[in-house]
Amino acid sequence: MDTPRETLEVGKKLVEFCKKGENMKAIDQLYSPEIESLEAMSMPGMPDTVRGLDAIRKKNTEWDQAMEVHAMDVEGPFPFGDRFAVHYKFDATNKKDKKRMKGEEVALYTVRNGKIVKEEFFYSM
Amino acid sequence: MDTPRETLEVGKKLVEFCKKGENMKAIDQLYSPEIESLEAMSMPGMPDTVRGLDAIRKKNTEWDQAMEVHAMDVEGPFPFGDRFAVHYKFDATNKKDKKRMKGEEVALYTVRNGKIVKEEFFYSM
């Protein structure tokens, strides 16, 4: 079990990468091979559960290719034991249908042995 | 197990009460007798785990008596299955030492049979 201090360090690094839009670096450096990524809702063309680094990278690449991001606001990390939360707000346009949307979500991350093993995205639409 | 729709309804009511500062009404109407309240950190004079409605009411009363709240910002709820998250930001002065502080935290709530059975407060200092 990680100490709250270690969890906080991982959380700070994640937030730093995300603020710079360097999500792939975050995955490379902070994610465990056992990573599980879970979405609150099932969306067309996107599975609600994704496992493993390759699948997570693919998920991130698909988001990058589908969306033009105008602004991304990242608040956190908020730690508790071996978990930390991050609050994301974004303003993005779907490149296909040109629909612009503002959205926000809270992500809950679980850390084990200094690596993120689970990310859960909380939101509604 | 509650549906995501039920969780969202409980979350919306909680946020409504908290925005009006009616935390006691939230406890009366939305909390289970089995409620557990967990803090990320232990603080002097405040246990990091509190169980049951009476203990939760006492915890809230003590906060109200100790702090003068200038502003409270409540964002959410962000649901996922039987849980939802809320992001709080506050600006408050400790009545005793007159120290004013701005703080924020993410709370993670777990719902069972339409009532909140667990609240976990995520933050660092």
Side-chain angles (χ1 to χ4, degrees):
Chain A
M1 167 118 179
D2 290 88
T3 66
R5 178 58 48 195
E6 287 165 334
T7 307
L8 181 60
E9 288 313 311
V10 174
K12 279 182 178 171
K13 286 180 194 162
L14 182 84
V15 165
E16 221 172 276
F17 281 130
C18 290
K19 280 187 173 171
K20 293 190 279 190
E22 297 180 340
N23 295 38
M24 284 300 177
K25 275 196 193 168
I27 293 171
D28 291 344
Q29 294 182 29
L30 305 176
Y31 280 44
S32 158
E34 277 80 50
I35 181 71
E36 267 190 317
S37 179
L38 311 173
E39 298 282 335
M41 299 177 78
S42 298
M43 270 170 292
M46 207 169 94
D48 59 5
T49 305
V50 154
R51 288 193 178 82
L53 288 170
D54 287 348
I56 303 284
R57 288 195 187 99
K58 184 166 174 278
K59 181 180 171 181
N60 272 264
T61 302
E62 283 171 357
W63 161 267
D64 286 345
Q65 288 172 346
M67 307 299 286
E68 186 193 348
V69 177
H70 310 293
M72 174 72 85
D73 183 42
V74 186
E75 291 181 298
F78 305 99
F80 189 143
D82 61 352
R83 297 167 297 163
F84 67 89
V86 176
H87 185 180
Y88 297 99
K89 296 178 194 177
F90 61 88
D91 174 9
T93 298
N94 187 316
K95 290 178 190 168
K96 231 182 202 165
D97 63 13
K98 308 290 172 205
K99 223 166 145 177
R100 184 165 179 162
M101 56 176 185
K102 288 187 180 188
E104 55 179 314
E105 60 190 13
V106 165
L108 181 64
Y109 299 89
T110 305
V111 176
R112 198 184 301 143
N113 301 321
K115 298 281 184 180
I116 296 167
V117 291
K118 184 153 73 168
E119 56 177 13
E120 301 170 272
F121 295 101
F122 288 61
Y123 54 87
S124 62
M125 288 189 183
Chain B
M1 167 123 180
D2 291 88
T3 67
R5 177 59 47 196
E6 286 164 333
T7 307
L8 180 59
E9 287 312 309
V10 174
K12 280 183 177 171
K13 284 180 195 163
L14 181 84
V15 165
E16 219 171 278
F17 281 129
C18 290
K19 281 186 173 171
K20 291 189 280 186
E22 296 180 340
N23 295 38
M24 284 297 175
K25 274 195 194 168
I27 293 171
D28 291 343
Q29 294 183 28
L30 305 176
Y31 280 45
S32 157
E34 275 82 48
I35 182 71
E36 265 191 319
S37 179
L38 311 173
E39 297 283 333
M41 301 177 78
S42 296
M43 271 171 290
M46 207 171 93
D48 58 5
T49 304
V50 153
R51 288 192 178 84
L53 288 170
D54 287 346
I56 303 285
R57 288 194 188 101
K58 183 167 174 278
K59 182 180 172 182
N60 272 264
T61 302
E62 283 170 357
W63 162 267
D64 285 345
Q65 287 171 348
M67 308 298 287
E68 187 194 345
V69 177
H70 311 293
M72 175 72 86
D73 182 43
V74 186
E75 293 182 297
F78 305 99
F80 189 143
D82 60 353
R83 295 167 299 163
F84 66 90
V86 176
H87 185 179
Y88 296 98
K89 296 178 195 176
F90 61 88
D91 175 7
T93 298
N94 186 315
K95 289 178 191 168
K96 233 184 203 162
D97 62 13
K98 307 291 173 204
K99 223 165 143 179
R100 184 164 177 161
M101 58 176 186
K102 287 187 181 189
E104 53 180 318
E105 61 189 14
V106 164
L108 180 63
Y109 299 89
T110 305
V111 176
R112 199 184 300 144
N113 300 325
K115 296 282 183 179
I116 296 168
V117 291
K118 184 153 70 169
E119 57 177 13
E120 298 170 274
F121 295 101
F122 288 61
Y123 55 87
S124 62
M125 286 188 184

